[in-house]
């Protein structure tokens, strides 16, 4: 079955540091890949997405590239801000049932 | 106005009580989902519905039931709540396909449920 493994947190960075949150997946076929973000006290919001190999999703300075050869979709940002503090979820969608499989989430805290 | 709304936002109840969590959406999506979120476990799917007449169990459906009253409404019930059902519950919706990206889901703000 489908599964997503993402980097365990928590991750604590200083403002303007470089961020990488690793995500790898197992799936049959050609899944779509997503990063969702959950700010404190809120629901999940889609951050970025990619639907096929070598696609790069980007939003708000975050990027992730769909790497089929390494089955990965790592999230990166060149310079994090305090406002980026949140929980980040990697997710995979595949198959005819259109369900999403989520990773366990990574808590990011950015200090001033 | 929010596209996916959940009521209540917070609820404290006692063991053995029946609880209903409600979800409404104005996105016109056919597909709706209920998840629970627990620290360190991510989101786990409880039930999902692809249209009013289609209800499916997710990975952790035991102790829960659902009702799809209309395209826009999907309710989750705990018939007899127990403490390990204390969690954050999310409703989500998605479109059926066509030109949109499959699987992209839109989430409500969540309901924090505490069972004492």
């Amino acid at each position: 079955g489908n599964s997503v493994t993402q980097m365990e947190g928590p991750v604590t960075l200083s403002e303007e540091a470089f961020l990488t949150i690793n995500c790898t997946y197992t799936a049959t076929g050609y899944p779509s890949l997503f990063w969702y973000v959950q700010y404190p006290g809120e629901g999940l919001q889609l951050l970025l997405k990619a639907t096929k190999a070598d696609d790069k999703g980007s939003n708000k300075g975050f990027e992730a590239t769909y790497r089929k050869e390494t089955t990965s979709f790592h999230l990166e940002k060149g310079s994090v801000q305090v406002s980026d503090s949140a929980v980040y979820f990697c997710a995979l969608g595949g198959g005819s049932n259109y369900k999403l499989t989520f990773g366990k989430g990574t808590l990011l805290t950015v200090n001033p | 106005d929010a596209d996916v709304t959940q009521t209540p936002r917070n609820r404290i109840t006692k063991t053995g009580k029946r609880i209903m969590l409600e979800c409404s959406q104005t996105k016109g999506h056919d597909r709706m989902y209920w998840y629970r979120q627990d620290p360190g476990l991510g989101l786990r799917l409880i039930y999902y519905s692809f249209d009013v007449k289609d209800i499916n169990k997710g990975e952790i459906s035991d102790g829960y039931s659902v009702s799809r009253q209309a395209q826009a409404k999907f309710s989750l019930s705990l018939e007899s709540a127990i403490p390990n059902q204390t969690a954050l519950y999310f409703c989500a919706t998605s479109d059926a396909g066509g030109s949109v990206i499959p699987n992209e889901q839109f989430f409500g703000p969540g309901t924090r449920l505490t069972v004492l």
Side-chain angles (χ1 to χ4, degrees), chain A residues 8-45:
Chain A
E8 290 191 19
V11 174
T12 302
L13 296 173
S14 298
E15 206 164 22
E16 300 184 359
F18 183 84
L19 169 71
T20 300
I21 300 178
N22 291 337
C23 173
T24 57
Y25 68 89
T26 302
T28 55
Y30 303 94
S32 297
L33 298 172
F34 305 87
W35 276 100
Y36 280 84
V37 59
Q38 183 182 27
Y39 297 106
E42 299 183 13
L44 278 72
Q45 304 173 25

Side-chain angles (χ1 to χ4, degrees), chain B:
Chain B
D1 288 340
D3 295 318
V4 184
T5 57
Q6 294 183 233
T7 55
R9 294 294 311 277
N10 289 283
R11 181 72 184 267
I12 299 173
T13 191
K14 295 181 179 179
T15 297
K17 294 292 187 181
R18 183 177 188 275
I19 295 296
M20 179 180 286
L21 310 183
E22 299 187 345
C23 176
S24 295
Q25 53 113 347
T26 59
K27 298 188 75 67
H29 289 167
D30 288 324
R31 299 177 177 187
M32 299 186 74
Y33 310 80
W34 275 106
Y35 294 90
R36 66 176 279 175
Q37 181 182 15
D38 299 277
L41 294 178
L43 272 75
R44 293 181 290 167
L45 184 63
I46 306 172
Y47 271 95
Y48 60 103
S49 169
F50 283 174
D51 64 41
V52 174
K53 297 181 181 179
D54 178 79
I55 303 289
N56 303 280
K57 292 182 177 181
E59 55 185 301
I60 54 162
S61 58
D62 287 350
Y64 301 94
S65 62
V66 291
S67 173
R68 185 81 184 265
Q69 302 94 322
Q71 187 206 35
K73 296 184 181 297
F74 192 36
S75 299
L76 176 72
S77 294
L78 288 67
E79 296 300 326
S80 179
I82 57 177
N84 77 0
Q85 291 178 312
T86 293
L88 191 53
Y89 290 84
F90 288 103
C91 175
T93 74
S94 68
D95 206 339
S99 62
V100 300
I101 296 171
N103 317 118
E104 180 176 351
Q105 294 183 14
F106 299 83
F107 284 78
T111 295
R112 184 168 297 281
L113 176 66
T114 303
V115 183
L116 302 176

